[in-house]
Amino acid sequence: MDLIFGVCPVRPQLPAVGVRVGVGEVHLVGSAMKDLSPGDLVIPSPLSSGTWQTYIVKDQSVWQKMDKNSPIEYAATISINPPTALRMLEDFASLEPRDSIVQNGARSMVGRCLIQIAKSHGIHSINIIRDRVGSDEAKEALKKLGAKEVFTESQLEIKNVKSLLGDLKDPALGLNRTSGNAASLVMKFFRLDKSMVTYGGMSKKPITVSTSYFIFKDLSLRGFWLHNWMSSNDVTGCKRMIDHLLELVPDGKLKYEYTELVSFSDFHIALDKSLGKLGSHPKQVLKF
């Protein structure tokens, strides 16, 4: 969506076909092809623009073969949200089982992936969601995915948020999708020498940091963009990461219950749902 809106730093030359993720079925292959056959499911790896089209012709090197048993909505979206969650968990802190992380925007797809991948590593997640209708139901849904604690933003408008954690360790890492005041709520949980990683700014508001966080807590603010990570790593490493994430699916360690398959003929409805114009809806996956 950021690419379509023009807020993503990567901007294809216009006119261009939108979107960088998706899953397709191999229709025809050249006579020398050995690795792919008609009927195979593939995704672009590394990511490349132009998946919103019926047919694509590209070299075999840009395609990664999917297990046919992988649900199509998993394969179509596996390249963005789960890798973002995994990389932030593994690349910014040396997390051990029973360690804790704290994140805002926990109802997002990345947030849900973070909860589940953290749980598969034995890591406890402390999660922050916005105050809105259905918050209680949202808390229960996230706990079913493996969230250790879920708080609304208003619950954290107290001086000592650590009193809410019981026996949980102080968070070793913070993850910020929302920015604005929600970023400050993440930082309230920190003690000394911790990092908050920002990967989104959904509130469209800046992060305001108290000077005391830097002086007395030695807090670090970092940023993450999956495009940069994939650009700096070899294709083989990216494909191994995708395969690892898909291996979590059969065991129920990574669930995509919050998706909705939509015919491309109804794309205008799907876009309105994605933009929140029609209330809260699952992630929209277009089918051509």
Side-chain angles (χ1 to χ4, degrees), residues 156-255:
L156 301 179
E157 296 294 347
I158 59 175
K159 186 175 182 179
N160 184 17
V161 296
K162 299 183 187 68
S163 64
L164 302 173
L165 299 184
D167 295 332
L168 283 177
K169 290 184 178 180
D170 292 326
L173 179 68
L175 303 165
N176 170 42
R177 175 182 185 268
T178 311
S179 295
N181 182 60
S184 301
L185 297 178
V186 169
M187 290 184 282
K188 287 178 71 172
F189 283 95
F190 287 144
R191 289 191 184 274
L192 295 174
D193 191 25
K194 304 302 178 186
S195 295
M196 183 178 75
V197 181
T198 293
Y199 67 99
M202 302 309 294
S203 69
K204 295 182 173 61
K205 296 179 180 179
I207 299 171
T208 302
V209 186
S210 169
T211 304
S212 64
Y213 282 140
F214 291 119
I215 297 175
F216 303 118
K217 293 189 175 184
D218 194 20
L219 180 68
S220 297
L221 300 184
R222 306 285 303 276
F224 178 78
W225 186 27
L226 184 64
H227 173 83
N228 281 347
W229 186 90
M230 288 191 165
S231 298
S232 62
N233 284 270
D234 63 280
V235 173
T236 301
C238 294
K239 291 183 176 180
R240 280 200 303 265
M241 177 181 64
I242 297 298
D243 285 337
H244 165 68
L245 289 165
L246 285 172
E247 288 171 358
L248 300 177
V249 175
D251 294 334
K253 295 179 180 178
L254 184 60
K255 300 177 182 178

Side-chain angles (χ1 to χ4, degrees), residues 57-285:
V57 180
K58 287 189 177 181
D59 187 79
Q60 63 169 325
S61 61
V62 307
W63 302 113
Q64 180 171 356
K65 185 176 178 180
M66 295 284 98
D67 187 331
K68 287 188 176 181
N69 293 322
S70 297
I72 192 168
E73 62 269 26
Y74 286 65
T77 55
I78 196 69
S79 301
I80 291 290
N81 297 316
T84 297
L86 180 65
R87 295 270 53 90
M88 290 193 297
L89 284 173
E90 294 191 349
D91 295 351
F92 292 91
S94 298
L95 298 173
E96 302 289 342
R98 300 188 65 80
D99 281 345
S100 298
I101 63 168
V102 56
Q103 67 160 336
N104 60 35
R107 297 181 68 175
S108 68
M109 288 303 296
V110 173
R112 292 167 184 263
C113 291
L114 276 163
I115 290 169
Q116 295 176 84
I117 297 172
K119 182 183 178 182
S120 72
H121 287 70
I123 298 165
H124 301 308
S125 63
I126 302 159
N127 302 275
I128 305 170
I129 62 175
R130 289 182 293 171
D131 289 89
R132 62 183 182 185
V133 176
S135 293
D136 289 339
E137 291 81 358
K139 287 182 180 182
E140 290 304 313
L142 295 180
K143 287 185 177 180
K144 286 182 179 179
L145 289 178
K148 192 67 175 178
E149 295 288 354
V150 185
F151 303 106
T152 59
E153 294 180 0
S154 63
Q155 286 181 281
L156 301 179
E157 296 294 347
I158 59 175
K159 186 175 182 179
N160 184 17
V161 296
K162 299 183 187 68
S163 64
L164 302 173
L165 299 184
D167 295 332
L168 283 177
K169 290 184 178 180
D170 292 326
L173 179 68
L175 303 165
N176 170 42
R177 175 182 185 268
T178 311
S179 295
N181 182 60
S184 301
L185 297 178
V186 169
M187 290 184 282
K188 287 178 71 172
F189 283 95
F190 287 144
R191 289 191 184 274
L192 295 174
D193 191 25
K194 304 302 178 186
S195 295
M196 183 178 75
V197 181
T198 293
Y199 67 99
M202 302 309 294
S203 69
K204 295 182 173 61
K205 296 179 180 179
I207 299 171
T208 302
V209 186
S210 169
T211 304
S212 64
Y213 282 140
F214 291 119
I215 297 175
F216 303 118
K217 293 189 175 184
D218 194 20
L219 180 68
S220 297
L221 300 184
R222 306 285 303 276
F224 178 78
W225 186 27
L226 184 64
H227 173 83
N228 281 347
W229 186 90
M230 288 191 165
S231 298
S232 62
N233 284 270
D234 63 280
V235 173
T236 301
C238 294
K239 291 183 176 180
R240 280 200 303 265
M241 177 181 64
I242 297 298
D243 285 337
H244 165 68
L245 289 165
L246 285 172
E247 288 171 358
L248 300 177
V249 175
D251 294 334
K253 295 179 180 178
L254 184 60
K255 300 177 182 178
Y256 262 37
E257 298 174 343
Y258 203 64
T259 57
E260 180 180 359
L261 283 174
V262 183
S263 171
F264 185 71
S265 60
D266 295 324
F267 76 90
H268 56 291
I269 299 175
L271 285 175
D272 283 345
K273 288 181 177 180
S274 296
L275 294 171
K277 294 181 179 179
L278 301 176
S280 179
H281 290 276
K283 187 177 184 68
Q284 303 295 292
V285 180

